[in-house]
Amino acid sequence: MRVVRLAGGTPSAWPSGALSREAFCAKVRAEGERLYRDLPWRNIDDPYAVLVSEVMLQQTQVTRVLKHWGRWMAMFPTLDALAAASTSDVLAQWQGLGYNRRALALKRACETCSARFGGRLPDTHEGLQALPGIGPATAAGVMAFARNRPGVYLETNVRTVFLHELFPDRDKVADRELAPLVAATCPEDDARAWYYALLDYGAHLKSVVANPSRRSAHHARQSAFEGSRRQKRAEIVRVVLAEPGIGRDELARRLDAFERAAGRDGVDGAAFDSIVDDLIAEGFFREEGAGLRA
């Protein structure tokens, strides 16, 4: 193991037998320049716009986000605009991205900032992580891409590069081993360009070699969507958005028909009630009289 120093002088072991830190950084920068993707949310200084892109990109492909980010920003151009928007408008605009909880968490984060911080996002990693739905990677992404400030931005494409280049023969590599290396390579003066290079190189690697991120200790195969509870939730949200005020009985009939049309068994009443009750508790819907509204 070679020892490198993190920002602030903290020592960290560099993997033996791997490219040196200098060679690794040079390779990533060269590959990043060669593979650079000119995406609309890049090279902008608006933390809110960057946050929207980071939340949309969680578990969602870039090609799909490209279809939604611009429309979202046109409808909700500022943090305050999203905070003031109705839940139904927010969920309707999110349709097609999946994982609807992300939209609600994003709105709640903006509501907090609108009420407490004058319509601005916090300017520290810790402040960002105190908001709903914002974890360490999302906070680091906002800091790096909107403010060009260093941090440990460890997401799947970044993880892919470090595993491919520095741990080619190991499985179950934990993030606690990767995080010091990510910190050790992130420059103090140009975190934005550095992480763009890692993202673009990592995306390329996943298209040409067996996905190295599967060798992470944290890799989990995504469960099937078809027929899942997640799909049933998404269908219920879609129907309620399309027909505000729909009653439970009619909604249950629609979900049952949706399942049977796909060749699956119908949905029993207990499962349906459980899903709807969860959606109400999570803030997706409210019951008004005999109907459901977002």
Side-chain angles (χ1 to χ4, degrees):
M1 292 279 188
R2 296 186 291 279
V3 174
V4 296
R5 293 202 169 268
L6 309 183
T10 305
S12 175
W14 189 263
S16 60
L19 290 173
S20 69
R21 178 183 180 277
E22 293 73 19
F24 172 81
C25 291
K27 182 172 185 179
V28 169
R29 288 192 180 279
E31 290 298 304
E33 182 176 353
R34 181 176 72 88
L35 300 164
Y36 180 76
R37 295 173 293 177
D38 188 17
L39 302 171
W41 49 82
R42 288 190 169 182
N43 298 300
I44 58 177
D45 298 324
D46 180 353
Y48 163 70
V50 170
L51 174 62
V52 171
S53 71
E54 287 296 298
V55 174
M56 284 186 174
L57 287 162
Q58 294 168 6
Q59 298 177 290
T60 305
Q61 294 180 338
V62 168
T63 52
R64 183 176 297 180
V65 175
L66 279 168
K67 299 175 183 177
H68 288 82
W69 183 84
R71 292 201 297 266
W72 180 278
M73 293 303 301
M75 187 164 186
F76 312 116
T78 66
L79 184 155
D80 286 329
L82 181 58
S86 67
T87 298
S88 59
D89 284 345
V90 171
L91 290 173
Q93 195 66 20
W94 195 266
Q95 294 305 289
L97 286 165
Y99 297 96
N100 289 305
R101 286 191 186 96
R102 293 179 296 165
L104 290 188
L106 179 58
K107 176 171 166 56
R108 288 168 184 154
C110 290
E111 289 171 347
T112 299
C113 292
S114 187
R116 296 177 54 193
F117 307 131
R120 297 173 61 86
L121 283 167
D123 61 2
T124 66
H125 291 83
E126 295 76 16
L128 287 167
Q129 287 181 64
L131 296 172
I134 300 183
T138 301
V142 172
M143 295 298 288
F145 302 134
R147 298 191 166 107
N148 207 18
R149 286 161 60 179
V152 178
Y153 181 59
L154 187 49
E155 59 80 74
T156 182
N157 286 334
V158 173
R159 190 180 287 114
T160 291
V161 174
F162 279 83
L163 291 170
H164 177 76
E165 294 291 351
L166 303 182
F167 300 92
D169 301 316
R170 276 188 52 191
D171 291 328
K172 304 297 182 183
V173 181
D175 281 355
R176 66 176 176 274
E177 192 169 356
L178 295 178
L181 305 177
V182 175
T185 53
C186 180
E188 289 288 325
D189 60 346
D190 198 7
R192 175 189 281 169
W194 171 245
Y195 281 123
Y196 287 162
L198 281 166
L199 288 172
D200 293 344
Y201 184 29
H204 171 71
L205 284 173
K206 289 196 293 187
S207 72
V208 297
V209 299
N211 188 353
S213 66
R214 293 174 184 166
R215 294 190 283 103
S216 165
H218 309 279
H219 175 75
R221 186 180 295 275
Q222 190 177 55
S223 59
F225 180 68
E226 290 296 321
S228 67
R229 184 181 178 92
R230 185 159 57 93
Q231 186 184 38
K232 295 178 180 65
R233 283 171 57 102
E235 178 63 12
I236 288 173
V237 169
R238 187 194 67 77
V239 173
V240 173
L241 288 174
E243 299 184 39
I246 189 171
R248 279 200 184 225
D249 289 346
E250 176 61 15
L251 184 58
R253 188 190 70 76
R254 297 283 190 87
L255 183 63
D256 189 79
F258 173 79
E259 289 294 297
R260 293 184 186 280
R264 296 186 289 267
D265 292 338
V267 181
D268 64 63
F272 170 80
D273 286 338
S274 172
I275 295 171
V276 172
D277 289 345
D278 281 353
L279 289 167
I280 291 171
E282 293 167 23
F284 285 89
F285 304 144
R286 64 187 185 279
E287 283 192 289
E288 290 186 353
L292 292 162
R293 295 179 182 274

PDB file of all heavy atoms in Angstrom, residues 61-85:
ATOM      1  N   GLN A  61     -31.973   6.444 -15.782  1.00  0.00           N
ATOM      2  CA  GLN A  61     -30.993   6.654 -16.833  1.00  0.00           C
ATOM      3  C   GLN A  61     -31.008   8.087 -17.332  1.00  0.00           C
ATOM      4  O   GLN A  61     -32.032   8.765 -17.355  1.00  0.00           O
ATOM      5  CB  GLN A  61     -31.270   5.703 -17.995  1.00  0.00           C
ATOM      6  CG  GLN A  61     -31.057   4.229 -17.658  1.00  0.00           C
ATOM      7  CD  GLN A  61     -31.356   3.324 -18.841  1.00  0.00           C
ATOM      8  OE1 GLN A  61     -32.072   3.707 -19.756  1.00  0.00           O
ATOM      9  NE2 GLN A  61     -30.808   2.127 -18.809  1.00  0.00           N
ATOM     10  N   VAL A  62     -29.821   8.536 -17.779  1.00  0.00           N
ATOM     11  CA  VAL A  62     -29.663   9.896 -18.279  1.00  0.00           C
ATOM     12  C   VAL A  62     -30.631  10.167 -19.427  1.00  0.00           C
ATOM     13  O   VAL A  62     -31.214  11.253 -19.518  1.00  0.00           O
ATOM     14  CB  VAL A  62     -28.207  10.133 -18.733  1.00  0.00           C
ATOM     15  CG1 VAL A  62     -28.078  11.433 -19.525  1.00  0.00           C
ATOM     16  CG2 VAL A  62     -27.271  10.168 -17.523  1.00  0.00           C
ATOM     17  N   THR A  63     -30.810   9.194 -20.334  1.00  0.00           N
ATOM     18  CA  THR A  63     -31.682   9.421 -21.485  1.00  0.00           C
ATOM     19  C   THR A  63     -33.108   9.755 -21.060  1.00  0.00           C
ATOM     20  O   THR A  63     -33.777  10.566 -21.710  1.00  0.00           O
ATOM     21  CB  THR A  63     -31.693   8.185 -22.408  1.00  0.00           C
ATOM     22  OG1 THR A  63     -31.998   7.013 -21.619  1.00  0.00           O
ATOM     23  CG2 THR A  63     -30.348   7.999 -23.078  1.00  0.00           C
ATOM     24  N   ARG A  64     -33.573   9.153 -19.980  1.00  0.00           N
ATOM     25  CA  ARG A  64     -34.921   9.453 -19.511  1.00  0.00           C
ATOM     26  C   ARG A  64     -34.967  10.819 -18.845  1.00  0.00           C
ATOM     27  O   ARG A  64     -35.921  11.588 -19.038  1.00  0.00           O
ATOM     28  CB  ARG A  64     -35.400   8.370 -18.547  1.00  0.00           C
ATOM     29  CG  ARG A  64     -36.834   8.582 -18.066  1.00  0.00           C
ATOM     30  CD  ARG A  64     -37.322   7.462 -17.187  1.00  0.00           C
ATOM     31  NE  ARG A  64     -37.371   6.190 -17.887  1.00  0.00           N
ATOM     32  CZ  ARG A  64     -37.765   5.050 -17.346  1.00  0.00           C
ATOM     33  NH1 ARG A  64     -38.139   5.033 -16.068  1.00  0.00           N
ATOM     34  NH2 ARG A  64     -37.781   3.943 -18.037  1.00  0.00           N
ATOM     35  N   VAL A  65     -33.939  11.136 -18.053  1.00  0.00           N
ATOM     36  CA  VAL A  65     -33.903  12.438 -17.377  1.00  0.00           C
ATOM     37  C   VAL A  65     -33.845  13.576 -18.394  1.00  0.00           C
ATOM     38  O   VAL A  65     -34.431  14.638 -18.185  1.00  0.00           O
ATOM     39  CB  VAL A  65     -32.726  12.494 -16.385  1.00  0.00           C
ATOM     40  CG1 VAL A  65     -32.590  13.887 -15.771  1.00  0.00           C
ATOM     41  CG2 VAL A  65     -32.917  11.456 -15.283  1.00  0.00           C
ATOM     42  N   LEU A  66     -33.161  13.348 -19.503  1.00  0.00           N
ATOM     43  CA  LEU A  66     -33.087  14.375 -20.545  1.00  0.00           C
ATOM     44  C   LEU A  66     -34.474  14.775 -21.046  1.00  0.00           C
ATOM     45  O   LEU A  66     -34.690  15.915 -21.468  1.00  0.00           O
ATOM     46  CB  LEU A  66     -32.247  13.868 -21.726  1.00  0.00           C
ATOM     47  CG  LEU A  66     -30.730  13.961 -21.564  1.00  0.00           C
ATOM     48  CD1 LEU A  66     -30.035  13.171 -22.669  1.00  0.00           C
ATOM     49  CD2 LEU A  66     -30.281  15.413 -21.588  1.00  0.00           C
ATOM     50  N   LYS A  67     -35.422  13.880 -20.997  1.00  0.00           N
ATOM     51  CA  LYS A  67     -36.777  14.175 -21.471  1.00  0.00           C
ATOM     52  C   LYS A  67     -37.592  14.970 -20.447  1.00  0.00           C
ATOM     53  O   LYS A  67     -38.631  15.541 -20.798  1.00  0.00           O
ATOM     54  CB  LYS A  67     -37.514  12.872 -21.794  1.00  0.00           C
ATOM     55  CG  LYS A  67     -36.853  12.029 -22.882  1.00  0.00           C
ATOM     56  CD  LYS A  67     -37.576  10.700 -23.038  1.00  0.00           C
ATOM     57  CE  LYS A  67     -36.904   9.812 -24.068  1.00  0.00           C
ATOM     58  NZ  LYS A  67     -37.560   8.483 -24.176  1.00  0.00           N
ATOM     59  N   HIS A  68     -37.124  14.990 -19.208  1.00  0.00           N
ATOM     60  CA  HIS A  68     -37.934  15.576 -18.143  1.00  0.00           C
ATOM     61  C   HIS A  68     -37.349  16.833 -17.508  1.00  0.00           C
ATOM     62  O   HIS A  68     -38.101  17.694 -17.055  1.00  0.00           O
ATOM     63  CB  HIS A  68     -38.163  14.529 -17.030  1.00  0.00           C
ATOM     64  CG  HIS A  68     -39.100  13.433 -17.416  1.00  0.00           C
ATOM     65  ND1 HIS A  68     -38.695  12.340 -18.154  1.00  0.00           N
ATOM     66  CD2 HIS A  68     -40.418  13.257 -17.171  1.00  0.00           C
ATOM     67  CE1 HIS A  68     -39.730  11.536 -18.339  1.00  0.00           C
ATOM     68  NE2 HIS A  68     -40.784  12.066 -17.756  1.00  0.00           N
ATOM     69  N   TRP A  69     -36.022  16.930 -17.429  1.00  0.00           N
ATOM     70  CA  TRP A  69     -35.416  18.014 -16.657  1.00  0.00           C
ATOM     71  C   TRP A  69     -35.807  19.387 -17.191  1.00  0.00           C
ATOM     72  O   TRP A  69     -36.198  20.281 -16.427  1.00  0.00           O
ATOM     73  CB  TRP A  69     -33.898  17.857 -16.634  1.00  0.00           C
ATOM     74  CG  TRP A  69     -33.196  18.886 -15.796  1.00  0.00           C
ATOM     75  CD1 TRP A  69     -32.995  18.851 -14.451  1.00  0.00           C
ATOM     76  CD2 TRP A  69     -32.589  20.105 -16.260  1.00  0.00           C
ATOM     77  NE1 TRP A  69     -32.299  19.970 -14.040  1.00  0.00           N
ATOM     78  CE2 TRP A  69     -32.040  20.749 -15.141  1.00  0.00           C
ATOM     79  CE3 TRP A  69     -32.449  20.699 -17.509  1.00  0.00           C
ATOM     80  CZ2 TRP A  69     -31.359  21.968 -15.223  1.00  0.00           C
ATOM     81  CZ3 TRP A  69     -31.778  21.916 -17.605  1.00  0.00           C
ATOM     82  CH2 TRP A  69     -31.249  22.540 -16.478  1.00  0.00           C
ATOM     83  N   GLY A  70     -35.747  19.590 -18.488  1.00  0.00           N
ATOM     84  CA  GLY A  70     -36.084  20.881 -19.066  1.00  0.00           C
ATOM     85  C   GLY A  70     -37.528  21.266 -18.835  1.00  0.00           C
ATOM     86  O   GLY A  70     -37.847  22.419 -18.508  1.00  0.00           O
ATOM     87  N   ARG A  71     -38.441  20.295 -18.989  1.00  0.00           N
ATOM     88  CA  ARG A  71     -39.857  20.572 -18.760  1.00  0.00           C
ATOM     89  C   ARG A  71     -40.116  20.920 -17.295  1.00  0.00           C
ATOM     90  O   ARG A  71     -40.918  21.804 -16.981  1.00  0.00           O
ATOM     91  CB  ARG A  71     -40.705  19.373 -19.192  1.00  0.00           C
ATOM     92  CG  ARG A  71     -40.713  19.117 -20.682  1.00  0.00           C
ATOM     93  CD  ARG A  71     -41.929  18.275 -21.095  1.00  0.00           C
ATOM     94  NE  ARG A  71     -41.925  16.949 -20.500  1.00  0.00           N
ATOM     95  CZ  ARG A  71     -41.436  15.859 -21.092  1.00  0.00           C
ATOM     96  NH1 ARG A  71     -40.879  15.943 -22.292  1.00  0.00           N
ATOM     97  NH2 ARG A  71     -41.501  14.685 -20.499  1.00  0.00           N
ATOM     98  N   TRP A  72     -39.438  20.187 -16.417  1.00  0.00           N
ATOM     99  CA  TRP A  72     -39.587  20.456 -14.981  1.00  0.00           C
ATOM    100  C   TRP A  72     -39.125  21.874 -14.663  1.00  0.00           C
ATOM    101  O   TRP A  72     -39.826  22.615 -13.971  1.00  0.00           O
ATOM    102  CB  TRP A  72     -38.761  19.443 -14.185  1.00  0.00           C
ATOM    103  CG  TRP A  72     -38.828  19.620 -12.704  1.00  0.00           C
ATOM    104  CD1 TRP A  72     -38.116  20.496 -11.937  1.00  0.00           C
ATOM    105  CD2 TRP A  72     -39.659  18.892 -11.795  1.00  0.00           C
ATOM    106  NE1 TRP A  72     -38.445  20.364 -10.621  1.00  0.00           N
ATOM    107  CE2 TRP A  72     -39.381  19.388 -10.504  1.00  0.00           C
ATOM    108  CE3 TRP A  72     -40.589  17.865 -11.967  1.00  0.00           C
ATOM    109  CZ2 TRP A  72     -40.022  18.893  -9.372  1.00  0.00           C
ATOM    110  CZ3 TRP A  72     -41.224  17.367 -10.831  1.00  0.00           C
ATOM    111  CH2 TRP A  72     -40.937  17.886  -9.556  1.00  0.00           C
ATOM    112  N   MET A  73     -37.964  22.265 -15.178  1.00  0.00           N
ATOM    113  CA  MET A  73     -37.423  23.583 -14.879  1.00  0.00           C
ATOM    114  C   MET A  73     -38.288  24.695 -15.482  1.00  0.00           C
ATOM    115  O   MET A  73     -38.355  25.797 -14.941  1.00  0.00           O
ATOM    116  CB  MET A  73     -35.991  23.692 -15.386  1.00  0.00           C
ATOM    117  CG  MET A  73     -34.998  22.794 -14.651  1.00  0.00           C
ATOM    118  SD  MET A  73     -34.958  23.073 -12.859  1.00  0.00           S
ATOM    119  CE  MET A  73     -34.495  24.806 -12.785  1.00  0.00           C
ATOM    120  N   ALA A  74     -38.950  24.412 -16.590  1.00  0.00           N
ATOM    121  CA  ALA A  74     -39.851  25.402 -17.171  1.00  0.00           C
ATOM    122  C   ALA A  74     -41.093  25.584 -16.294  1.00  0.00           C
ATOM    123  O   ALA A  74     -41.605  26.703 -16.153  1.00  0.00           O
ATOM    124  CB  ALA A  74     -40.261  24.981 -18.583  1.00  0.00           C
ATOM    125  N   MET A  75     -41.569  24.500 -15.699  1.00  0.00           N
ATOM    126  CA  MET A  75     -42.776  24.575 -14.874  1.00  0.00           C
ATOM    127  C   MET A  75     -42.468  25.053 -13.457  1.00  0.00           C
ATOM    128  O   MET A  75     -43.251  25.797 -12.860  1.00  0.00           O
ATOM    129  CB  MET A  75     -43.459  23.208 -14.826  1.00  0.00           C
ATOM    130  CG  MET A  75     -44.808  23.241 -14.132  1.00  0.00           C
ATOM    131  SD  MET A  75     -45.782  21.757 -14.494  1.00  0.00           S
ATOM    132  CE  MET A  75     -47.344  22.187 -13.707  1.00  0.00           C
ATOM    133  N   PHE A  76     -41.332  24.609 -12.911  1.00  0.00           N
ATOM    134  CA  PHE A  76     -40.936  24.989 -11.550  1.00  0.00           C
ATOM    135  C   PHE A  76     -39.526  25.589 -11.615  1.00  0.00           C
ATOM    136  O   PHE A  76     -38.541  24.939 -11.238  1.00  0.00           O
ATOM    137  CB  PHE A  76     -40.935  23.769 -10.616  1.00  0.00           C
ATOM    138  CG  PHE A  76     -42.175  22.916 -10.701  1.00  0.00           C
ATOM    139  CD1 PHE A  76     -42.103  21.597 -11.147  1.00  0.00           C
ATOM    140  CD2 PHE A  76     -43.414  23.417 -10.343  1.00  0.00           C
ATOM    141  CE1 PHE A  76     -43.232  20.803 -11.221  1.00  0.00           C
ATOM    142  CE2 PHE A  76     -44.557  22.628 -10.418  1.00  0.00           C
ATOM    143  CZ  PHE A  76     -44.466  21.317 -10.854  1.00  0.00           C
ATOM    144  N   PRO A  77     -39.383  26.823 -12.102  1.00  0.00           N
ATOM    145  CA  PRO A  77     -38.050  27.364 -12.401  1.00  0.00           C
ATOM    146  C   PRO A  77     -37.206  27.698 -11.179  1.00  0.00           C
ATOM    147  O   PRO A  77     -35.986  27.850 -11.304  1.00  0.00           O
ATOM    148  CB  PRO A  77     -38.356  28.627 -13.214  1.00  0.00           C
ATOM    149  CG  PRO A  77     -39.741  29.018 -12.804  1.00  0.00           C
ATOM    150  CD  PRO A  77     -40.465  27.736 -12.532  1.00  0.00           C
ATOM    151  N   THR A  78     -37.840  27.827 -10.018  1.00  0.00           N
ATOM    152  CA  THR A  78     -37.104  28.183  -8.809  1.00  0.00           C
ATOM    153  C   THR A  78     -37.525  27.274  -7.659  1.00  0.00           C
ATOM    154  O   THR A  78     -38.568  26.610  -7.703  1.00  0.00           O
ATOM    155  CB  THR A  78     -37.372  29.637  -8.399  1.00  0.00           C
ATOM    156  OG1 THR A  78     -38.759  29.780  -8.014  1.00  0.00           O
ATOM    157  CG2 THR A  78     -37.048  30.598  -9.539  1.00  0.00           C
ATOM    158  N   LEU A  79     -36.720  27.317  -6.636  1.00  0.00           N
ATOM    159  CA  LEU A  79     -37.024  26.557  -5.422  1.00  0.00           C
ATOM    160  C   LEU A  79     -38.367  26.990  -4.853  1.00  0.00           C
ATOM    161  O   LEU A  79     -39.199  26.161  -4.459  1.00  0.00           O
ATOM    162  CB  LEU A  79     -35.884  26.799  -4.436  1.00  0.00           C
ATOM    163  CG  LEU A  79     -35.847  26.082  -3.103  1.00  0.00           C
ATOM    164  CD1 LEU A  79     -34.390  25.991  -2.625  1.00  0.00           C
ATOM    165  CD2 LEU A  79     -36.677  26.795  -2.057  1.00  0.00           C
ATOM    166  N   ASP A  80     -38.623  28.301  -4.806  1.00  0.00           N
ATOM    167  CA  ASP A  80     -39.893  28.785  -4.268  1.00  0.00           C
ATOM    168  C   ASP A  80     -41.073  28.337  -5.118  1.00  0.00           C
ATOM    169  O   ASP A  80     -42.163  28.070  -4.602  1.00  0.00           O
ATOM    170  CB  ASP A  80     -39.869  30.318  -4.177  1.00  0.00           C
ATOM    171  CG  ASP A  80     -39.000  30.817  -3.036  1.00  0.00           C
ATOM    172  OD1 ASP A  80     -38.892  30.113  -2.020  1.00  0.00           O
ATOM    173  OD2 ASP A  80     -38.418  31.908  -3.164  1.00  0.00           O
ATOM    174  N   ALA A  81     -40.879  28.265  -6.436  1.00  0.00           N
ATOM    175  CA  ALA A  81     -41.963  27.827  -7.314  1.00  0.00           C
ATOM    176  C   ALA A  81     -42.345  26.386  -7.025  1.00  0.00           C
ATOM    177  O   ALA A  81     -43.534  26.034  -7.007  1.00  0.00           O
ATOM    178  CB  ALA A  81     -41.548  27.985  -8.777  1.00  0.00           C
ATOM    179  N   LEU A  82     -41.370  25.546  -6.789  1.00  0.00           N
ATOM    180  CA  LEU A  82     -41.676  24.155  -6.470  1.00  0.00           C
ATOM    181  C   LEU A  82     -42.309  24.058  -5.099  1.00  0.00           C
ATOM    182  O   LEU A  82     -43.260  23.293  -4.891  1.00  0.00           O
ATOM    183  CB  LEU A  82     -40.408  23.302  -6.541  1.00  0.00           C
ATOM    184  CG  LEU A  82     -40.612  21.818  -6.235  1.00  0.00           C
ATOM    185  CD1 LEU A  82     -41.623  21.190  -7.195  1.00  0.00           C
ATOM    186  CD2 LEU A  82     -39.285  21.061  -6.324  1.00  0.00           C
ATOM    187  N   ALA A  83     -41.818  24.833  -4.151  1.00  0.00           N
ATOM    188  CA  ALA A  83     -42.385  24.803  -2.805  1.00  0.00           C
ATOM    189  C   ALA A  83     -43.860  25.182  -2.818  1.00  0.00           C
ATOM    190  O   ALA A  83     -44.668  24.624  -2.070  1.00  0.00           O
ATOM    191  CB  ALA A  83     -41.600  25.741  -1.890  1.00  0.00           C
ATOM    192  N   ALA A  84     -44.232  26.136  -3.680  1.00  0.00           N
ATOM    193  CA  ALA A  84     -45.609  26.624  -3.723  1.00  0.00           C
ATOM    194  C   ALA A  84     -46.530  25.765  -4.590  1.00  0.00           C
ATOM    195  O   ALA A  84     -47.751  25.928  -4.544  1.00  0.00           O
ATOM    196  CB  ALA A  84     -45.617  28.066  -4.242  1.00  0.00           C
ATOM    197  N   ALA A  85     -45.973  24.869  -5.362  1.00  0.00           N
ATOM    198  CA  ALA A  85     -46.776  24.067  -6.292  1.00  0.00           C
ATOM    199  C   ALA A  85     -47.638  23.056  -5.544  1.00  0.00           C
ATOM    200  O   ALA A  85     -47.314  22.630  -4.434  1.00  0.00           O
ATOM    201  CB  ALA A  85     -45.863  23.344  -7.271  1.00  0.00           C
TER     202      ALA A  85
END
